[in-house]
Amino acid sequence: MTPKQQKFCDEYIKTGNATQSAINAGYSQKTAKSIGAENLTKPDLKKYIDSKLKDISNNAIATAEETLGILTKIVRGEHT
């Protein structure tokens, strides 16, 4: 993955917009739409994006174990 492609991926993760992400990564405005769409079909770029989105999702949502732990502390009066 080139530095420009990585920048595209990082921008896409932030915005969800392939065209704007291509522009922000330094691609030409004239070709941004097609480059953005093309980049999303490249297996290594898609894998990177999917991996990062999964990491973000995993960190954003409490697991069942975490939730039960907090609820248990609340029931026991250990947490307010």
Side-chain angles (χ1 to χ4, degrees), residues 22-58:
I23 293 168
N24 293 349
Y27 292 96
S28 162
Q29 286 192 353
K30 287 183 178 183
T31 61
K33 185 175 181 178
S34 60
I35 292 292
E38 180 184 330
N39 277 350
L40 292 177
T41 65
K42 294 181 178 178
D44 57 331
L45 302 188
K46 180 147 179 51
K47 184 177 177 182
Y48 176 82
I49 291 169
D50 290 345
S51 172
K52 293 296 182 183
L53 288 175
K54 184 177 179 185
D55 289 346
I56 291 167
S57 177
N58 287 343

